[in-house]
C-alpha cells in the first residue's frame, strides 16, 4: 500500500515538475523510485515564476554533493502519508523564495512528518506568508523550529534586513563547514576584497529556546538574531537558516548553501552520498599566475628551491605576450620568445593554463572598461592559447582572468568555445569548485569554476605582505588550516599566488619557508593517502565524471543497497555511509576506509556498474 501510494506520488510529482516548466529535470528523477532514500526539495507552485531559479541553485549544489534529490510541490507532498515519506525521504528542505507562501494545513503534515522521524530545514522566508500572500502573525513553522522568521506585525519592513554573520564559537563554525580564512578573529564571515560581509537575513527571533542550539547569529542594530539553528522535534530535527541560501548561490556566493547543506544532510542527518573528490580523498589546488617578465629568473629560483615539485602537480597560468601595459613596452613574459626557456623548464611539473589574453594589464584594463568586446577578447585569448600550446605541446584547458576581471556573460561562451574546462574565480569566495551561477542561472555545464581561497580580505602572498603585512607564522597557520580543512571535509580548495610574491617582499615578511614547509606536509599527507595535490584540469574532469554517475540508495530491510552506474567507468568514484547505521561493506574491487562517522567506500575497478549491499547495525 505504502509503495503504491509512493509510486503514484512520484508520477504526479514528475508531471507537475514538467508542467511548471522547471529547467532542471535530470538524472536524479530517472533513478528515483519510492524505496529510494532521497532528499526532498519542496516548493509552492505559486512562487515558481519569481523564484524558480532558487530551486535550480539548490539542486545544482545537491548534485555536486552526490545527494539524491527530488523536487516536489507542496500539493503532492501534502497528499502523501507523512510517516511513509519520513522513511524514504527523511530530509525535507523548504528553500528560500519558493516556500514563502504555504498552506496553513501543511503545519499538521510537518508535525506528523517530524513525529515519524523526518527532519526539516526551513530557509529564510519559508512559510512566512499564507497561501493568499498575507504575512502570517506567526508562521506555523516557528512552532517546530523554535524560531519565528518574520514577525511582520511587529517589524514591518525591518522583517528583512542585512547583517554580519557571527558563529557562536570555533566549534560551531567548523561544524558548519566554514574554511579557515573566511572568518575574522571574532568569528564573523569575511570575503576576499571586502573584509566582514553583510548578508541579507530575516528579522528572526527565538520564540521557544527549549533545546535550541544556535550555531550562528546575525548582528543587527536591534540585537543578535538567530541565523543558524537546530533542535530536536518529535523524532527528527528542525533547523532554521535566516540567509537566503539559494538566492546567494544563484548570484555567485556558493559557500553558505554548500557548507550548510553539508552540515545539515551529512553531519546532522548522516545521509549517504557520493563524494565529489577522487578516491574519496580531498585535495588542494595551487594556482600560480604569471603576469610579466619579472617572473623569468624567479621561475628558476623556484625550481632550484623546490617550490614546484614532481608528485605535487600545480596549475601555472601564463599571460604569454611580449608586452604588459601597452603594445611595445616589452615587459610581458614573452612565452614564445625570451621567456620560452623558463616555461619549458616549468612545464613538465605543471599544468599550463592561460592567464587571460596576451598583455596582462592591457587585457584587464580594456575588458574592465568595456572598451573590448567579444572579438577583441577572442583575438587576445587565441594568441595566448596558440603561443602556450605551441611551447608545451599540450592543449590549454585552464583559465584565469588577469586582475580577476571576468565578466561572466562575456567570458563564459568564449571559454567554452576555446575548449577550456575550468577557470580561477573570485566569486563563490572560499567555496569548492562548482558550476557557478550568475544572475540566477548556471553559467555553464562544461566549465568548472575554482573559487579562490582567501585569508580574510586578501588571497595572494603578495596581498598578504603588502596589505595587512601578515606575519609569516599566520600565513603558515592558514596554509596548514586549508590542508586540514580539505582533508577532514574531503573537499577541494584552490589557493593562488604569483611566484615573485615569495621572492620580492619587505622586511621579514618572507613566506617562502612557510610555503616550502607546507609542501613538505602535503607530501607526507599524500604518502599517507590523506590528501592530494591536484590541478584544476584533473579535478574538473573528475567532477564531471562524478556528476554523470547515476546512483540509488535503496532501503532494504535494515540495510542499504547502493547501485551505481556510469558509462564513463566508476574507478575512483566513492561514496560515504554513516558508520553508526551500517556495517562496513566489502566486496571485490572495493576499498572501505572508516574514519570519523563515515565508511568511505572507494571503487577501485574500472567497471560501469556496481551494486553494494550494506548491512545495517
Ligand atoms: Zn595576473
Amino acid at each position: 500500500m505504502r509503495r503504491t501510494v509512493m509510486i503514484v506520488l512520484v508520477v504526479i510529482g514528475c508531471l507537475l515538475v514538467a508542467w511548471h516548466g522547471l529547467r532542471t529535470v535530470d538524472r536524479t528523477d530517472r533513478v528515483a523510485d519510492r524505496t529510494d532514500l532521497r532528499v526532498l526539495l519542496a516548493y509552492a507552485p505559486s512562487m515558481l515564476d519569481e523564484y524558480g531559479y532558487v530551486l535550480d541553485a539548490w539542486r545544482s549544489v545537491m548534485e555536486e554533493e552526490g545527494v539524491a534529490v527530488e523536487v516536489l510541490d507542496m500539493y503532492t507532498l501534502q497528499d502523501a502519508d507523512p510517516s511513509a515519506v519520513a522513511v524514504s525521504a527523511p530530509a525535507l528542505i523548504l528553500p528560500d523564495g519558493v516556500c514563502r507562501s504555504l498552506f496553513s494545513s501543511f503545519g499538521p503534515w510537518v508535525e506528523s512528518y517530524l513525529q515519524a522521524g523526518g527532519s526539516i530545514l526551513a530557509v529564510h522566508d519559508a512559510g512566512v506568508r499564507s497561501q493568499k500572500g498575507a504575512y502570517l502573525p506567526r508562521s506555523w513553522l516557528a512552532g517546530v523550529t523554535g524560531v519565528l522568521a518574520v514577525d511582520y506585525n511587529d517589524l514591518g519592513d525591518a522583517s528583512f534586513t542585512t547583517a554580519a554573520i557571527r558563529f557562536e564559537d570555533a566549534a560551531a563554525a567548523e561544524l558548519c563547514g566554514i574554511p579557515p580564512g573566511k572568518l575574522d578573529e571574532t568569528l564573523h564571515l569575511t570575503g576576499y576584497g571586502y573584509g566582514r560581509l553583510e548578508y541579507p537575513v530575516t528579522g528572526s527571533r527565538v520564540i521557544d529556546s527549549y533545546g535550541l542550539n544556535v550555531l550562528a547569529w546575525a548582528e543587527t542594530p536591534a540585537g543578535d538574531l538567530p541565523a543558524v539553528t537546530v533542535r530536536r522535534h518529535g523524532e527528527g530535527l528542525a533547523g532554521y537558516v535566516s540567509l537566503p541560501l539559494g538566492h546567494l548561490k544563484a548570484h555567485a556566493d556558493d559557500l553558505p548553501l554548500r557548507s550548510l547543506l553539508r552540515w545539515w544532510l551529512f553531519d546532522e542527518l548522516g545521509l549517504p552520498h557520493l563524494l565529489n573528490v577522487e578516491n574519496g580523498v580531498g585535495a588542494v589546488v595551487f594556482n600560480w599566475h604569471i603576469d610579466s617578465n619579472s617572473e623569468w629568473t624567479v621561475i628558476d629560483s623556484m625550481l632550484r628551491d623546490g617550490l614546484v615539485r614532481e608528485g605535487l602537480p600545480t596549475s601555472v597560468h601564463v599571460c604569454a605576450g611580449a608586452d604588459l601595459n601597452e603594445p611595445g613596452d616589452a615587459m610581458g613574459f614573452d612565452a614564445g620568445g625570451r621567456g620560452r626557456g623558463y616555461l619549458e623548464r616549468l612545464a613538465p611539473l605543471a599544468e599550463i593554463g592561460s592567464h587571460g589574453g596576451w598583455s596582462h594589464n592591457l587585457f584587464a584594463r580594456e575588458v574592465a572598461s568595456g572598451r573590448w568586446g567579444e572579438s577583441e577578447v577572442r583575438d587576445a585569448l587565441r594568441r595566448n592559447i596558440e603561443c602556450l600550446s605551441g611551447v608545451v605541446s599540450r592543449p590549454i584547458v585552464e583559465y584565469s582572468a588577469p586582475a580577476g576581471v571576468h565578466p561572466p556573460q562575456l567570458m563564459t561562451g568564449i571559454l567554452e568555445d576555446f575548449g577550456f574546462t575550468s577557470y580561477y574565480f573570485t566569486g563563490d569566495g572560499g567555496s569548492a569548485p562548482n558550476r557557478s551561477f550568475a544572475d540566477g542561472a548556471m553559467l555553464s555545464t562544461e566549465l568548472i569554476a575554482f573559487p579562490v581561497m582567501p585569508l580574510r580580505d586578501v588571497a595572494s602572498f603578495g596581498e598578504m605582505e603588502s596589505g595587512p603585512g601578515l606575519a609569516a607564522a599566520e600565513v603558515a597557520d592558514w596554509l596548514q588550516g586549508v590542508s586540514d580543512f580539505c582533508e577532514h571535509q574531503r573537499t577541494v580548495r584552490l589557493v593562488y599566488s604569483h611566484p615573485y610574491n615569495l621572492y620580492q617582499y619587505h622586511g621579514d615578511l618572507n613566506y617562502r619557508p612557510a610555503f616550502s614547509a607546507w609542501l613538505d606536509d602535503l607530501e607526507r599527507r599524500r604518502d599517507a593517502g590523506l590528501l592530494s595535490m591536484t590541478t584544476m584540469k584533473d579535478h574538473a574532469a573528475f567532477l564531471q565524471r562524478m556528476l554523470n554517475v547515476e546512483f540509488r540508495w535503496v532501503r532494504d530491510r535494515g540495510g542499504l543497497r547502493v547501485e551505481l552506474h556510469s558509462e564513463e567507468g566508476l574507478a575512483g568514484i566513492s561514496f560515504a555511509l554513516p558508520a553508526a547505521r551500517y556495517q562496513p561493506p566489502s566486496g571485490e574491487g572495493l576499498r572501505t576506509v572508516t574514519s570519523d562517522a563515515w565508511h568511505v567506500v572507494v571503487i577501485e575497478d574500472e567497471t560501469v556498474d556496481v551494486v553494494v549491499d550494506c548491512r545495517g547495525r
Side-chain angles (χ1 to χ4, degrees):
M1 174 61 192
R2 181 174 291 176
R3 189 180 160 83
T4 310
V5 169
M6 299 300 270
I7 288 169
V8 170
L9 192 63
V10 80
V11 169
I12 295 171
C14 291
L15 286 174
L16 279 171
V17 166
W19 175 256
H20 290 292
L22 273 182
R23 287 162 285 173
T24 51
V25 176
D26 76 349
R27 69 204 164 89
T28 44
D29 285 326
R30 289 205 305 277
V31 298
D33 177 271
R34 307 321 295 180
T35 58
D36 286 10
L37 192 58
R38 67 203 184 282
V39 177
L40 294 181
L41 205 51
Y43 69 94
S46 61
M47 306 308 295
L48 267 195
D49 282 350
E50 202 175 346
Y51 292 105
Y53 70 92
V54 168
L55 284 180
D56 295 346
W58 276 89
R59 188 166 188 150
S60 176
V61 176
M62 291 166 90
E63 288 171 359
E64 289 167 2
E65 294 298 334
V67 175
V69 55
E70 181 182 356
V71 178
L72 200 58
D73 75 282
M74 289 293 177
Y75 292 104
T76 309
L77 187 59
Q78 208 178 333
D79 284 343
D81 173 2
S83 54
V85 176
V87 171
S88 55
L92 169 62
I93 294 175
L94 305 170
D96 45 309
V98 288
C99 288
R100 179 176 281 194
S101 290
L102 299 178
F103 318 110
S104 56
S105 54
F106 196 57
W109 191 97
V110 163
E111 181 66 36
S112 302
Y113 174 74
L114 280 151
Q115 293 300 335
S119 293
I120 69 155
L121 182 68
V123 182
H124 192 59
D125 57 354
V128 303
R129 285 189 185 180
S130 72
Q131 192 184 350
K132 289 186 174 159
Y135 280 104
L136 297 165
R138 181 168 174 152
S139 157
W140 39 262
L141 280 177
V144 295
T145 61
V147 177
L148 183 60
V150 165
D151 184 345
Y152 204 78
N153 290 343
D154 253 23
L155 294 174
D157 291 340
S159 298
F160 295 94
T161 183
T162 60
I165 303 298
R166 187 189 79 243
F167 284 84
E168 172 67 15
D169 52 31
E174 188 180 347
L175 182 64
C176 290
I178 307 303
K182 281 293 287 181
L183 294 170
D184 62 17
E185 296 82 353
T186 47
L187 301 177
H188 292 83
L189 274 177
T190 59
Y192 181 29
Y194 292 97
R196 189 175 292 182
L197 295 171
E198 290 269 317
Y199 276 99
V201 292
T202 58
S204 56
R205 66 171 69 158
V206 174
I207 57 163
D208 181 0
S209 61
Y210 179 74
L212 189 73
N213 187 11
V214 182
L215 296 165
W217 299 91
E219 289 184 348
T220 72
D224 290 355
L225 311 178
V228 180
T229 69
V230 55
R231 71 167 181 175
R232 185 151 285 284
H233 187 93
E235 297 299 313
L237 296 177
Y240 177 69
V241 176
S242 71
L243 292 80
L245 298 176
H247 178 81
L248 293 170
K249 158 68 192 175
H251 294 82
D253 191 2
D254 178 275
L255 184 75
L257 171 52
R258 186 175 305 271
S259 292
L260 292 173
L261 181 81
R262 288 170 62 113
W263 156 68
W264 183 251
L265 296 182
F266 304 161
D267 297 301
E268 296 290 354
L269 304 183
L271 288 181
H273 53 281
L274 288 189
L275 291 162
N276 55 21
V277 290
E278 193 159 17
N279 297 312
V281 174
V284 176
V285 173
F286 203 97
N287 184 203
W288 295 107
H289 291 185
I290 294 184
D291 303 350
S292 72
N293 65 11
S294 62
E295 300 289 14
W296 284 347
T297 54
V298 173
I299 287 174
D300 280 344
S301 301
M302 279 183 92
L303 292 168
R304 178 198 67 213
D305 295 340
L307 302 186
V308 183
R309 303 182 188 181
E310 197 158 358
L312 292 181
T314 182
S315 288
V316 177
H317 297 181
V318 181
C319 200
D323 305 317
L324 177 66
N325 298 302
E326 305 293 344
D329 68 18
M331 291 165 67
F333 184 77
D334 197 10
R338 291 175 299 161
R340 184 174 183 126
Y342 302 102
L343 182 58
E344 285 174 340
R345 288 191 282 284
L346 196 53
L349 298 171
E351 182 64 34
I352 303 300
S354 184
H355 191 31
W358 200 242
S359 305
H360 187 275
N361 296 351
L362 178 73
F363 181 95
R365 192 177 64 230
E366 296 303 305
V367 173
S369 70
R371 283 187 295 271
W372 275 17
E374 189 161 339
S375 69
E376 291 89 349
V377 170
R378 278 182 188 273
D379 288 347
L381 204 45
R382 183 178 295 109
R383 285 184 88 180
N384 214 61
I385 296 164
E386 286 176 356
C387 175
L388 293 174
S389 60
V391 175
V392 303
S393 303
R394 297 197 296 260
I396 304 298
V397 297
E398 299 184 358
Y399 179 80
S400 52
V405 177
H406 189 83
Q409 309 301 2
L410 171 67
M411 294 305 302
T412 303
I414 297 175
L415 295 186
E416 285 181 341
D417 289 348
F418 279 114
F420 287 99
T421 61
S422 58
Y423 62 102
Y424 155 99
F425 189 41
T426 54
D428 295 327
S431 201
N434 72 91
R435 299 167 297 178
S436 194
F437 279 54
D439 301 329
M442 186 189 286
L443 282 164
S444 170
T445 55
E446 297 163 40
L447 287 163
I448 302 298
F450 281 69
V452 65
M453 193 56 216
L455 201 179
R456 298 191 292 278
D457 58 337
V458 290
S460 73
F461 295 137
E463 291 163 352
M464 293 173 196
E465 185 251 319
S466 64
L470 301 181
E474 186 177 359
V475 175
D477 282 351
W478 171 73
L479 286 169
Q480 180 92 2
V482 172
S483 292
D484 289 343
F485 180 83
C486 292
E487 178 186 328
H488 298 145
Q489 293 269 336
R490 296 181 189 274
T491 186
V492 172
R493 290 296 186 274
L494 174 141
V495 183
Y496 112 101
S497 249
H498 310 89
Y500 74 85
N501 295 153
L502 293 179
Y503 289 88
Q504 296 164 18
Y505 52 87
H506 300 94
D508 60 354
L509 298 181
N510 175 10
Y511 305 146
R512 212 158 64 230
F515 184 76
S516 189
W518 183 62
L519 294 183
D520 294 343
D521 180 66
L522 279 170
E523 285 178 332
R524 281 192 292 272
R525 294 183 200 233
R526 176 201 64 199
D527 293 344
L530 300 172
L531 184 67
S532 305
M533 198 162 182
T534 188
T535 61
M536 289 164 62
K537 173 192 163 188
D538 285 351
H539 181 65
F542 176 80
L543 190 57
Q544 294 287 12
R545 193 156 67 85
M546 173 264 175
L547 284 166
N548 285 332
V549 175
E550 292 179 37
F551 57 95
R552 300 174 65 186
W553 321 106
V554 187
R555 281 195 185 243
D556 186 13
R557 292 174 291 274
L560 190 73
R561 165 171 282 221
V562 181
E563 298 181 11
L564 308 176
H565 171 79
S566 173
E567 292 300 326
E568 297 168 56
L570 293 167
I573 299 292
S574 61
F575 59 91
L577 300 173
R581 219 166 294 159
Y582 304 105
Q583 298 180 32
S586 59
E588 207 172 310
L590 298 182
R591 179 165 46 87
T592 299
V593 178
T594 301
S595 62
D596 304 324
W598 300 93
H599 301 308
V600 173
V601 185
V602 184
I603 292 133
E604 298 194 297
D605 286 358
E606 198 51 77
T607 171
V608 297
D609 281 296
V610 165
V611 177
V612 183
D613 283 307
C614 311
R615 300 231 300 271
R617 292 275 185 202

